[in-house]
Amino acid sequence: MKAVIVVHGGAWAIPDELSEASVQGVKAAACEGYRVLGTGGSALDAVEKAVRSLEDNTVFDAGHGAVLNADGEVELDAIIMDGSSLGSGAVSSVQNIANPVSLARAVMEKTDHVMLTSRGANLFAESIGIKTVPTDTLVTEYEKREWEKQKKYITGVKEIFNSQWGHDTVGAVAVDSYGNVACATSTGGIRHKMVGRVGDSPIIGAGGYADNRSGAVSCTGHGESILKVTLARLIIFNIEQGTEVQDAVEHSLRYMGERVQGAGGAIAVSPSGRWAATFTTERMAWAAAEQGALWYGLNPQEKFQDKLSQ
Amino acid sequence: MKAVIVVHGGAWAIPDELSEASVQGVKAAACEGYRVLGTGGSALDAVEKAVRSLEDNTVFDAGHGAVLNADGEVELDAIIMDGSSLGSGAVSSVQNIANPVSLARAVMEKTDHVMLTSRGANLFAESIGIKTVPTDTLVTEYEKREWEKQKKYITGVKEIFNSQWGHDTVGAVAVDSYGNVACATSTGGIRHKMVGRVGDSPIIGAGGYADNRSGAVSCTGHGESILKVTLARLIIFNIEQGTEVQDAVEHSLRYMGERVQGAGGAIAVSPSGRWAATFTTERMAWAAAEQGALWYGLNPQEKFQDKLSQ
């Protein structure tokens, strides 16, 4: 079967000074994930690998590079889901973890639960030997400046998002050569969010969903809107009804815009390897790797192609 | 339009010694909620009122009467959703709050967010003057004994649930005389759960969903299974596809059983006042109030009727 991985680096008004690094970052992550698939690895391993690459890259708001909340702290959310079993693991509002996606995977594989939050997620990390890192290693100088700057102006998070100041989420979806699909999403959330705010990213059916019968999805954008329409599950439902992957994503994003006036983006892949990367925000950095080709884009309607060197 | 409220007190193997009190509790909550609807109140007010009544009743695992986690602490989850706007508020893993459903409503109405977790949820409660209560006022002597007893035997939460020791969730759905629907769900979770475990109850699309175009749902049962199939949203999707409310609930619960081997229950109501209360566990205490009639049941296939005195 045809193996494919698609990744995104967040749907928002990415400023010009970050655009080149964002595109390079998603391309690198897609290549890393595809290398897993190309050597017979699982979709689950591939999406974890790709998201770890994005978490380690400070240009993206996840892991290293995460935004700061209203108290100037980092609180991270992540989910991973295995389409072969509907097994899922998520962490919300966890602190000082460099790769929340791997902690989410441990929740899925080493506990009877699907989601652990806050202190409980950190206690679990400690119990399985995942080390915490100092906050300063996660936060960039850029973020500290932006956080200070916005502190003077903002009156609420809605305004931050609407002004497109908000930084956003990373994710990956993949289908492996056995036809298994998986998704993963990871984020630092919205800058100046309230302490303990959980967005769509770690919520099953909102920030991501994966089912071998239909496909895998990872979402990004205005979290509260994505939650209200359970965007990932909505896209999957549309695919289940026979809608083409690309149309299912477009249709669902349009529905979110009409119904709750929210903008965002999503990536999706079907078990047969059909895929999409679409958004209703100004920009979304995305890349997709399949046999021989690395596709990528940043602005609406862009779809560039590089040869994929393995 | 026809106003209806349906409530549940959790789907699990309710022991005989709790059955009479459980049935009385859901009947009382349905009556309290219906009184709101009968005087022209909103579905949102009605479900909040009914769930507060269940939270205040120590026979149910929500608010007063909540179960204890692995560390012997109370951690509460709740959601409320307004079908007219898809507006939603949720809290997860919040401590020492007597009525988490009202805190969830405050998240919906007083913040730009949908979900607050743990310490952040408690900080928000404090900031709006919702008082914390000592843990001892929430925990019953019965729960303390059960927690101690099980501590000696258990090896994991799955075993607790499978042995039907687990205590479970309350919820309500309603349609008001203006055709607006709403849902609310509240829980203390599963006894001996890991610290920070979040189940389905506070998760939009899993523990509850409400949309004026299709209906409102509140779920209960094995939280991890409900999450994997996004049970509330699945029921709503079935209704959207034209399936009758009762069939939509039955079909979705059967799907959950087949797909992830999970048992549970759900209540649902459509904007036209069609409703259902169905479960695949041993028992679920439920009650429904509509003009002139109070329906209720505990065992499979039971549907008793009392006259509704207003």
Side-chain angles (χ1 to χ4, degrees):
Chain A
M1 286 220 230
K2 182 186 167 189
V4 183
I5 185 164
V6 192
V7 309
H8 69 75
W12 62 295
I14 302 166
D16 288 340
E17 78 252 34
L18 295 182
S19 61
E20 178 59 22
S22 296
V23 171
Q24 290 310 320
V26 291
K27 285 170 78 174
C31 288
E32 282 198 48
Y34 190 73
R35 217 165 291 138
V36 174
L37 298 174
T39 52
S42 71
L44 200 62
D45 285 341
V47 295
E48 184 187 3
K49 184 82 175 175
V51 168
R52 284 181 67 102
S53 165
L54 296 161
E55 286 174 340
D56 290 343
N57 187 331
T58 56
V59 79
F60 301 112
D61 174 21
H64 298 87
V67 299
L68 297 167
N69 70 13
D71 275 7
E73 294 167 356
V74 170
E75 292 184 293
L76 303 165
D77 300 337
I79 194 171
I80 193 164
M81 187 165 183
D82 175 357
S84 68
S85 62
L86 303 186
S88 180
V91 289
S92 62
S93 206
V94 71
Q95 296 198 288
N96 301 82
I97 298 291
N99 293 109
V101 71
S102 296
L103 182 57
R105 183 164 179 178
V107 171
M108 175 172 76
E109 294 180 342
K110 296 180 199 295
T111 80
D112 291 328
H113 299 320
V114 161
M115 180 180 242
L116 294 177
T117 192
S118 303
R119 189 176 69 93
N122 276 106
L123 286 171
F124 171 63
E126 200 182 315
S127 76
I128 58 168
I130 292 184
K131 290 212 171 64
T132 52
V133 292
T135 304
D136 264 359
T137 67
L138 296 178
V139 183
T140 61
E141 288 305 315
Y142 174 87
E143 174 57 22
K144 283 181 199 162
R145 278 197 309 275
E146 290 297 308
W147 183 84
E148 283 294 346
K149 203 159 68 182
Q150 288 176 26
K151 201 177 165 184
K152 296 176 191 145
Y153 297 107
I154 56 151
T155 57
V157 167
K158 199 176 276 172
E159 193 174 319
I160 297 180
F161 187 79
N162 288 343
S163 70
Q164 302 282 347
W165 275 341
H167 210 136
D168 202 51
T169 310
V170 305
V173 296
V175 57
D176 61 31
S177 51
Y178 312 101
N180 293 312
V181 300
C183 72
T185 308
S186 180
T187 192
I190 300 181
R191 190 176 292 137
H192 281 287
K193 65 184 179 183
M194 288 173 69
V195 176
R197 176 264 192 184
V198 180
D200 64 298
S201 303
I203 305 299
I204 191 167
Y209 201 76
D211 183 347
N212 272 7
R213 296 186 185 175
S214 43
V217 175
S218 169
C219 297
T220 163
H222 185 229
E224 280 68 15
S225 298
I226 293 171
L227 285 164
K228 288 175 188 171
V229 302
T230 59
L231 183 62
R233 191 69 182 93
L234 181 64
I235 292 168
I236 291 290
F237 271 107
N238 276 286
I239 295 172
E240 285 174 357
Q241 299 296 313
T243 309
E244 256 297 325
V245 172
Q246 176 73 30
D247 295 340
V249 176
E250 282 178 16
H251 174 82
S252 302
L253 286 170
R254 203 159 50 233
Y255 174 85
M256 182 167 82
E258 289 163 8
R259 201 70 203 279
V260 294
Q261 292 75 56
I267 52 174
V269 69
S270 76
S272 64
R274 310 275 299 176
W275 60 270
T278 305
F279 52 99
T280 53
T281 48
E282 276 81 346
R283 287 174 159 175
M284 179 176 86
W286 65 269
E290 56 189 353
Q291 194 164 19
L294 176 66
W295 306 91
Y296 61 96
L298 177 73
N299 295 299
Q301 311 305 329
E302 272 179 7
K303 192 175 177 183
F304 300 114
Q305 185 181 4
D306 278 358
K307 271 211 179 129
L308 186 64
S309 50
Q310 287 206 307
Chain B
M1 284 220 234
K2 182 186 168 190
V4 183
I5 185 164
V6 191
V7 309
H8 70 75
W12 61 297
I14 301 167
D16 289 339
E17 77 251 35
L18 295 181
S19 61
E20 177 60 22
S22 297
V23 171
Q24 291 308 320
V26 289
K27 286 170 76 173
C31 289
E32 282 197 50
Y34 191 72
R35 218 166 289 140
V36 173
L37 298 175
T39 53
S42 71
L44 201 62
D45 286 342
V47 295
E48 183 187 4
K49 184 81 174 177
V51 168
R52 285 181 66 102
S53 166
L54 296 162
E55 287 174 339
D56 291 343
N57 188 331
T58 55
V59 78
F60 301 112
D61 173 22
H64 299 87
V67 299
L68 298 167
N69 69 13
D71 274 5
E73 292 168 356
V74 171
E75 292 184 293
L76 303 165
D77 300 337
I79 193 170
I80 192 163
M81 187 164 183
D82 176 357
S84 69
S85 62
L86 302 186
S88 180
V91 289
S92 63
S93 208
V94 71
Q95 295 198 287
N96 302 82
I97 298 291
N99 293 109
V101 71
S102 296
L103 182 57
R105 184 165 177 175
V107 171
M108 175 172 76
E109 293 179 344
K110 296 180 201 295
T111 81
D112 291 329
H113 299 319
V114 161
M115 182 180 241
L116 294 177
T117 193
S118 302
R119 189 175 71 93
N122 276 106
L123 286 171
F124 171 64
E126 199 183 315
S127 76
I128 58 168
I130 291 183
K131 290 212 171 63
T132 52
V133 293
T135 305
D136 265 358
T137 67
L138 296 177
V139 183
T140 62
E141 288 305 314
Y142 174 87
E143 174 56 22
K144 284 181 200 164
R145 277 198 310 275
E146 291 296 310
W147 184 83
E148 284 292 347
K149 206 159 64 183
Q150 288 177 27
K151 201 176 163 183
K152 297 175 193 146
Y153 297 107
I154 57 152
T155 56
V157 167
K158 199 176 275 173
E159 192 174 322
I160 296 180
F161 186 81
N162 289 342
S163 69
Q164 302 284 345
W165 275 342
H167 210 137
D168 202 52
T169 311
V170 304
V173 295
V175 56
D176 61 31
S177 51
Y178 313 100
N180 293 312
V181 301
C183 72
T185 307
S186 181
T187 192
I190 299 180
R191 188 176 294 138
H192 281 286
K193 65 185 178 182
M194 287 173 70
V195 175
R197 176 263 190 183
V198 180
D200 64 299
S201 303
I203 305 299
I204 192 166
Y209 202 76
D211 184 346
N212 274 7
R213 295 186 185 174
S214 43
V217 174
S218 169
C219 297
T220 163
H222 186 230
E224 279 70 14
S225 297
I226 292 170
L227 285 164
K228 288 175 188 172
V229 301
T230 60
L231 184 62
R233 190 71 183 92
L234 181 64
I235 292 169
I236 290 291
F237 271 107
N238 276 285
I239 296 173
E240 285 174 358
Q241 299 297 315
T243 308
E244 256 298 324
V245 173
Q246 175 74 31
D247 294 341
V249 176
E250 282 178 16
H251 174 82
S252 302
L253 285 171
R254 204 161 46 232
Y255 174 85
M256 182 167 82
E258 289 163 9
R259 201 72 204 276
V260 294
Q261 291 75 55
I267 52 175
V269 69
S270 76
S272 64
R274 311 273 300 175
W275 59 270
T278 304
F279 52 100
T280 53
T281 48
E282 276 82 345
R283 287 174 160 173
M284 178 176 86
W286 64 269
E290 57 188 355
Q291 195 165 17
L294 177 65
W295 306 91
Y296 62 96
L298 177 74
N299 296 299
Q301 311 304 330
E302 271 180 8
K303 192 174 177 183
F304 300 114
Q305 187 182 2
D306 278 358
K307 271 210 178 129
L308 186 64
S309 50
Q310 288 206 309

